[in-house]
Amino acid sequence: MSIRSLSAPGVVRRLARPWAAAAALLLAAAVPRVGQAPRRPNVAPPPPRVTHRAQDAALAARIDSIVSRGPLARAHWGIEVRDAATGRALYRRDADRHFMPASNLKLVVAAAAARYLGPDFRYRTTIYGTGPVRDGVLHGDLVLYGRGDPTISGRYEARRTSIFEALADSLAARGIRRVAGAVVGDESHWEAEHLRGQWERYDLLWWYAAPVGALGFNDNCVDILAVPGAAPGQPPRITAEPTSRFYTLDNRAVTVAAGRPQTMDFDRGEPGTFGHARAYGEMPLGAAQRHESFAVEDPARYAATVFREVLAARGIAMDEPAVRVVSDPARSAAARATPLAEHLSQPLPKVLAPILLNSHNWFAEQLLKTLGREVRGSGSWDAGLALERDFLVREVGVDSSAFVLVD
């Protein structure tokens, strides 16, 4: 963890380092193809299926017979077989159709980040004060300004709130004991679009479709642990971390006899509720512990609320009881405020680890918007995807009509 106190605005200059040769080679061999409106190709389309030799025809017959059997016949297949020594195409079956690549697409954002950001890239999360500090009082708001860091959690720290605790300690070391204004969660570094319209509604409840924003905390989730109650008829025992007044947990589930189906699930409760998680259904005796990461709806407010609670626990009082959120850059006070403390994230290879080792969707989406902002000046899906497209076409040499990027 890296926390530093700041006394004046500064500029951080980053140099992209092209260290992604290995990733680019892997990507060239395994780049996924997905569907969208076709664009004019910059590479000639591949040849049709090759059956010039008897062995090629025999191979084609064998593969066709396999994928035409039983349940396999219901699936959509895109297959290309090449001779490893010569590269000659031996068999092709809808190899150029668009398919959903699923998590293979994470190779693209990881390789693009390696190319354009470089191994020394770190996220900065800054605390600003909008007024002077006199006699231990900040006469203004305390602004928590995010730049997309996905690592503000317990993933690399002792506790989920360790980074917020270090920032609070840095403020206390400056003599700040009271804030005459409010804690403000500023997510204006990126666009305010948190979700993609194509994402499934049920998926939005969980960590793999958590909202994407410039200020986040704990993967923008509440971590839930559920175990059966002591006897049938009792509610399961459910705990959640971190503890915070940001959310409420309504346990309407029930423990049932061993051997009964496990039907317990979670939702947001009644329509229009906010910061709410509800458990419902049945959990049988003897069932294993259930761990869930339940996505929050307002990530900047979540982060600011937990940060405010950490400040209070560290003895720093706030005059205004409610936190505020700023999403519009025109309303952000950061550019004219005084920087007081700053957290530097782990370097880029550590950020890539959850993407490539754990297939973490939220980290990948955060990195995509980071690319848009750092390289194209816009923290948006459109800017990040445009950069990915250029990377695939210009750097890797992929046919521009052979893929489409949505998220």
Side-chain angles (χ1 to χ4, degrees):
M1 186 193 312
S2 178
I3 301 289
R4 57 183 180 180
S5 294
L6 301 176
S7 58
V11 176
V12 176
R13 183 169 179 264
R14 301 187 181 90
L15 300 178
R17 299 185 181 181
W19 59 288
L25 289 174
L26 173 62
L27 194 60
V31 63
R33 296 175 178 180
V34 282
Q36 182 185 309
R39 300 193 180 191
R40 183 177 179 180
N42 67 329
V43 179
R49 179 187 299 176
V50 176
T51 55
H52 296 311
R53 301 182 182 182
Q55 61 264 36
D56 297 351
L59 175 64
R62 290 176 60 193
I63 297 175
D64 288 342
S65 68
I66 292 172
V67 299
S68 299
R69 296 174 190 165
L72 298 183
R74 294 177 176 269
H76 299 283
W77 294 91
I79 303 173
E80 180 170 302
V81 181
R82 288 180 176 269
D83 186 301
T86 66
R88 188 176 67 85
L90 304 177
Y91 175 87
R92 294 174 58 83
R93 181 191 183 97
D94 290 336
D96 300 307
R97 288 189 177 273
H98 289 160
F99 292 88
M100 287 283 197
S103 288
N104 291 316
L105 196 57
K106 293 183 176 71
L107 291 169
V108 180
V109 71
R115 166 65 180 87
Y116 294 112
L117 299 179
D120 297 328
F121 174 81
R122 294 174 185 260
Y123 289 93
R124 294 183 300 132
T125 302
T126 309
I127 305 296
Y128 293 97
T130 64
V133 177
R134 292 192 298 265
D135 299 325
V137 179
L138 169 62
H139 294 273
D141 294 329
L142 195 64
V143 180
L144 176 64
Y145 188 88
R147 297 180 180 87
D149 186 356
T151 70
I152 301 178
S153 65
R155 189 177 301 275
Y156 305 107
E157 310 295 340
R159 293 173 300 282
R160 292 172 177 84
T161 56
S162 289
I163 292 170
F164 285 164
E165 292 165 14
L167 286 168
D169 290 343
S170 183
L171 295 174
R174 297 177 67 98
I176 298 175
R177 294 292 179 266
R178 182 173 137 242
V179 177
V183 172
V184 178
D186 193 325
E187 62 175 2
S188 64
H189 196 68
W190 290 356
E191 67 175 2
E193 183 185 5
H194 292 151
L195 306 169
R196 298 299 266 172
Q198 302 91 344
W199 294 357
E200 296 290 339
R201 184 173 181 179
Y202 180 78
D203 290 350
L204 301 181
L205 299 174
W206 310 107
W207 62 272
Y208 47 83
V212 180
L215 179 59
F217 167 68
N218 197 50
D219 299 0
N220 286 345
C221 290
V222 175
D223 298 320
I224 296 174
L225 172 64
V227 297
Q234 295 185 1
R237 297 190 296 273
I238 301 178
T239 56
E241 292 289 343
T243 56
S244 173
R245 64 182 178 86
F246 174 81
Y247 65 89
T248 58
L249 181 58
D250 181 11
N251 185 2
R252 300 189 184 184
V254 63
T255 304
V256 295
R260 293 276 297 274
Q262 163 78 272
T263 64
M264 189 179 73
D265 208 346
F266 295 85
D267 63 17
R268 302 199 192 282
E270 300 301 324
T273 57
F274 179 81
H276 190 71
R278 179 179 67 176
Y280 64 93
E282 298 179 345
M283 190 175 199
L285 282 173
Q289 293 183 347
R290 181 167 174 180
H291 298 264
E292 299 287 0
S293 290
F294 193 79
V296 302
E297 296 168 278
D298 189 340
R301 194 175 304 278
Y302 179 40
T305 300
V306 174
F307 182 53
R308 187 189 188 282
E309 292 166 346
V310 169
L311 290 170
R314 285 297 205 262
I316 299 177
M318 272 68 59
D319 285 5
E320 294 191 24
V323 302
R324 299 200 308 272
V325 171
V326 172
S327 303
D328 183 355
R331 296 180 54 232
S332 175
R336 56 186 182 277
T338 301
L340 300 174
E342 187 168 83
H343 168 69
L344 298 181
S345 76
Q346 298 281 341
L348 182 64
K350 291 283 190 178
V351 177
L352 295 181
I355 298 173
L356 298 178
L357 299 179
N358 307 110
S359 191
H360 203 298
N361 292 7
W362 183 72
F363 265 66
E365 301 291 0
Q366 292 285 118
L367 190 58
L368 178 67
K369 285 195 175 185
T370 300
L371 283 168
R373 173 69 191 205
E374 296 294 322
V375 183
R376 293 289 176 87
S378 173
S380 65
W381 265 293
D382 287 347
L385 294 172
L387 185 66
E388 279 191 347
R389 168 171 284 278
D390 282 355
F391 170 74
L392 289 174
V393 173
R394 300 177 189 277
E395 303 277 346
V396 185
V398 179
D399 180 352
S400 63
S401 70
F403 68 94
V404 170
L405 304 169
V406 177
D407 53 20

